[in-house]
Every structure is written in structure tokens, then in C-alpha cells.
Amino acid sequence: PRSDCIAAEQLCLSDSTCNATYRVLENCALAKTRFLPLDRDSRVRCLNAELDLGNSSLLHCKCHRRMKRQEHCLRVFWTVHSSMTDGYFNLETSPYENPANEEHWKTDYNELAALLSGKDCSQLAGDATNPCLKATHVCNLSKKCVRLRTDYASICTKGAGSEDTCDRRKCHRGLRNFFEKVPEDFTKRILFCPCQDELCGERRRKTIVPDCSFQYNTKPNCLWLLDSCLEDHICKSRLADFQQNCQPADTSPDGCSQHNHAACLQAYMGMIGTPMTPNYISNSSVEVSLWCTCESSGNQKEKCDQILGMFESNKCL
């Protein structure tokens, strides 16, 4: 069975040979995060160190989405797999284990509310025309859900719309807290509530307080967003998870190479609260996008379009 990367690191550091190999890889990973060019000898040394780990538990370790010390775990993962991040979208594999399964993601609002409140859910009947409002009311029945939702909403609305006063970093942290700590039965219903009208669609689009968490005054280039993401262990990990679980496949009937829509939606949810936070683009559709543009991308236009296309025209998502 796969161990988590923190336990695998401790095991490795207690063995002198593994310890020496791991230290080499730490230096390789550090050079990458600082964008320091490695000469040929250094690249070979890094690759050999990765190969030297062979079948050690470090090479096969994974992290949990909701674990404590998640950033430490992810740092270990990318230290051992630093050669995988060459070029664009070569992240190859997710550092996270246990993607969502379809059955687990089928939840009934009323059943969930009944479990929480211990009474019948007639008070939710009036929300039938606005599933997003209904999802919010169900969240309000859970102390944890309402507390963490109120937390991020208050942080993200302070000075929203003004670049100077909205603390985007804190807003993103609050959003990640909400989506990581509140059970997915609540979060997925709030984010993916099915809408029939624009009033409901507006509520859904504003779930993540886009004025602060999503929009800048002007759209940055998507390559800049990608660079910001790859410098951050959590964002890079969520992007790898998103790539793996939302990889489109034209030949597949469901459009997904992994044939698991629940895992794709879970991975999409993981992107919220990172530098590459996506959102709905209007009140009247379920189309999503990043807040970025590929204008002025020069000879990297194709690469830029690929980044944007993973969200805008991804059949699997």
C-alpha cells in the first residue's frame, strides 16, 4: 500500500544511502523552483538520483486532500518527482490518492438536511425553483459549513472590486479552507447547483466572490497564471490532479480518459483558491473559464490556448 509522503520521507532520512539521494533531489527541486538553469551534468545527476530511489516508498508515496501538513507532503512529492515538471502540462500524475467515485457524489438535498436538522424539510420546499438557494440553506444547517462559508465571504468581500484593498491571497486561503474542511456533500451542491434561470445562475457564479478571488482589473496572460501556479506546491498539485482526472478523450463516449466525472469535478473544485482559480463565465450557462487571455502570447500562443482550453472547451469537464 502507498504510504503518505511525510512518513516515507522520515523512513528515507533514517537510511544513510536514501538520505544522501534525497538531499541531491532537494537541491534539484530547489533549482527548479528558482528557475535556475541546470547544466547537463546536473540534469543527469538529478535524473540518476530519482532512478536510484527505485522501489522505495518515497517514489510511490501520495498525499491526502484533507490531511494536516498537506504542503509539507506535497513538497516531498515534488522533490522526488521534480523531473516530471519539465515543459508544459508534463505533470503526468496527481500527488493525491482516492479520487471521488460516482456513487459517493450522488446526494439528495432533503435527505442531507433531514439528517442534519432531525426534522422534516418542508422549510426547503420553497427553494425548489432555486437549487443554489436551497444548497445554501442546507449549508446553514451545518455549523461547520456556515462558519467557514461566512469566513471566506467576509474576507473576499472586503474591498471587492478594488485591486488595492481586496486581499486576494487571504480570500484564496479562505476558499481553500471551505472546500477542504467542509464535507463534499455540502460544497459540491453549492458550487454545482443546477440552474434553470439567471437569478439562480447569478447566485452560482458569485459562490466564490469572483470580484476578489477570480477577476483582476485587466485579464493577465494565461502563461503568467501558469507560472504563478507552478511556483506554488498546492496549485501545482491541484493542476496535476485536474489534468489527470479531467483529461479529455475524443474517442471516449463520456469525453473523459479516466471515465470518472465525479473525480473531474472534485479536481475542478480543488483549483478554486489557487492562482488558477476558475469560475462560471455568465449567469446563463455552465461554461467555465480562467480569468486570463492569450492575446500577445507571441510564439507561445499554442501553449497558452492549451491552458485556456483545459477549462473553456474541455468535453470531460
Side-chain angles (χ1 to χ4, degrees):
R2 284 192 172 119
S3 61
D4 81 60
C5 293
I6 296 175
E9 181 190 43
Q10 288 169 344
L11 204 62
C12 176
L13 296 181
S14 64
D15 174 272
S16 57
T17 309
C18 187
N19 190 331
T21 305
Y22 185 64
R23 296 304 178 197
V24 171
L25 286 171
E26 278 189 319
N27 289 330
C28 301
L30 192 64
K32 283 210 167 225
T33 53
R34 291 179 179 170
F35 298 104
L36 299 172
L38 294 173
D39 57 38
R40 188 181 176 279
D41 288 349
S42 299
R43 284 201 302 274
V44 169
R45 191 162 61 247
C46 293
L47 204 53
N48 285 342
E50 207 169 299
L51 293 171
D52 284 345
L53 287 177
N55 289 321
S56 85
S57 56
L58 255 184
L59 203 59
H60 304 286
C61 70
K62 290 279 188 176
C63 301
H64 304 280
R65 287 172 182 79
R66 293 169 176 244
M67 72 188 292
K68 287 180 179 175
R69 301 175 70 200
Q70 183 184 163
E71 285 194 58
H72 180 169
C73 185
L74 295 172
R75 181 175 57 75
V76 175
F77 179 90
W78 290 114
T79 296
V80 178
H81 296 285
S82 64
S83 69
M84 283 165 35
T85 56
D86 276 334
Y88 166 65
F89 274 8
N90 265 350
L91 299 177
E92 287 181 18
T93 186
S94 169
Y96 294 111
E97 60 183 2
N98 303 331
N101 62 61
E102 303 288 345
E103 280 307 308
H104 164 73
W105 266 52
K106 289 173 183 169
T107 311
D108 180 81
Y109 285 114
N110 292 334
E111 203 177 282
L112 184 61
L115 285 171
L116 286 166
S117 61
K119 54 183 183 283
D120 79 292
C121 303
S122 52
Q123 75 269 28
L124 294 175
D127 303 332
T129 56
N130 191 336
C132 291
L133 192 60
K134 188 173 188 175
T136 305
H137 287 173
V138 173
C139 173
N140 290 344
L141 295 172
S142 159
K143 284 180 183 174
K144 191 174 201 176
C145 188
V146 73
R147 176 173 59 83
L148 289 172
R149 185 171 167 272
T150 305
D151 282 354
Y152 86 71
S154 64
I155 296 165
C156 299
T157 46
K158 280 178 188 167
S162 164
E163 196 82 30
D164 300 325
T165 49
C166 159
D167 193 328
R168 184 171 281 108
R169 193 180 290 269
K170 278 188 180 175
C171 174
H172 281 167
R173 197 183 307 130
L175 278 166
R176 286 203 310 273
N177 255 344
F178 176 73
F179 285 108
E180 281 177 19
K181 293 180 180 175
V182 173
E184 285 173 343
D185 277 345
F186 297 102
T187 55
K188 71 193 179 198
R189 292 297 161 197
I190 285 175
L191 191 64
F192 302 125
C193 39
C195 288
Q196 301 297 321
D197 60 58
E198 292 204 9
L199 197 68
C200 175
E202 171 76 350
R203 192 175 188 94
R204 180 174 61 192
R205 192 180 64 81
K206 290 201 165 170
T207 296
I208 65 166
V209 197
D211 285 350
C212 184
S213 70
F214 177 67
Q215 292 172 209
Y216 295 75
N217 285 339
T218 53
K219 282 189 177 183
N221 188 281
C222 299
L223 297 168
W224 178 83
L225 274 194
L226 178 67
D227 286 344
S228 304
C229 184
L230 295 180
E231 288 172 23
D232 176 285
H233 281 123
I234 285 185
C235 188
K236 180 162 70 171
S237 301
R238 302 297 171 82
L239 181 60
D241 194 50
F242 178 77
Q243 280 180 249
Q244 179 176 301
N245 290 301
C246 294
Q247 195 60 245
D250 291 334
T251 53
S252 167
D254 65 1
C256 295
S257 62
Q258 298 287 327
H259 310 295
N260 187 344
H261 281 111
C264 176
L265 293 179
Q266 183 186 49
Y268 172 87
M269 207 154 64
M271 296 300 301
I272 293 170
T274 71
M276 286 182 77
T277 294
N279 196 27
Y280 297 99
I281 57 173
S282 77
N283 301 338
S284 53
S285 80
V286 288
E287 286 180 45
V288 296
S289 181
L290 297 172
W291 183 261
C292 64
T293 177
C294 284
E295 289 173 21
S296 310
S297 296
N299 60 1
Q300 291 189 299
K301 176 82 164 60
E302 192 179 334
K303 173 180 168 180
C304 186
D305 287 338
Q306 205 178 349
I307 297 162
L308 200 50
M310 278 296 285
F311 293 86
E312 281 192 349
S313 51
N314 184 333
K315 284 181 185 175
C316 180
L317 179 62

